[in-house]
Amino acid sequence: MIHLVLIYCLVGQGHACVTRRPLPESLSSLSGCMVAAQPIAAAWVAEHPKYRLAKWKCEIGVPEQRRI
């Protein structure tokens, strides 16, 4: 199972960050995760202009309790 993880930080405050996992269902492939990441990340930043995308990743098989 593959999950998209997006980390946003307040502009000018790199330590004030939030983690978002926008898709409740898992993705079927790494390439699908990478394709989904850009428009989802851009839409969130458009709605939250005080934040910037600091990092994103696709996690493979990470159990729910281990997520940050």
Side-chain angles (χ1 to χ4, degrees):
M1 294 180 35
I2 299 167
H3 305 274
L4 175 60
V5 180
L6 302 166
I7 301 168
Y8 302 95
C9 297
L10 282 171
V11 174
Q13 296 180 354
H15 62 281
C17 301
V18 295
T19 300
R20 297 288 180 249
R21 288 178 172 77
L23 302 174
E25 70 280 353
S26 63
L27 299 163
S28 61
S29 69
L30 283 175
S31 61
C33 180
M34 290 186 286
V35 169
Q38 185 175 1
I40 292 170
W44 198 91
V45 169
E47 293 176 15
H48 303 86
K50 293 183 180 182
Y51 285 85
R52 65 174 179 80
L53 180 64
K55 181 178 178 179
W56 70 274
K57 61 185 174 180
C58 296
E59 293 180 334
I60 301 173
V62 178
E64 192 73 32
Q65 65 271 19
R66 289 189 57 212
R67 292 187 182 174
I68 299 171

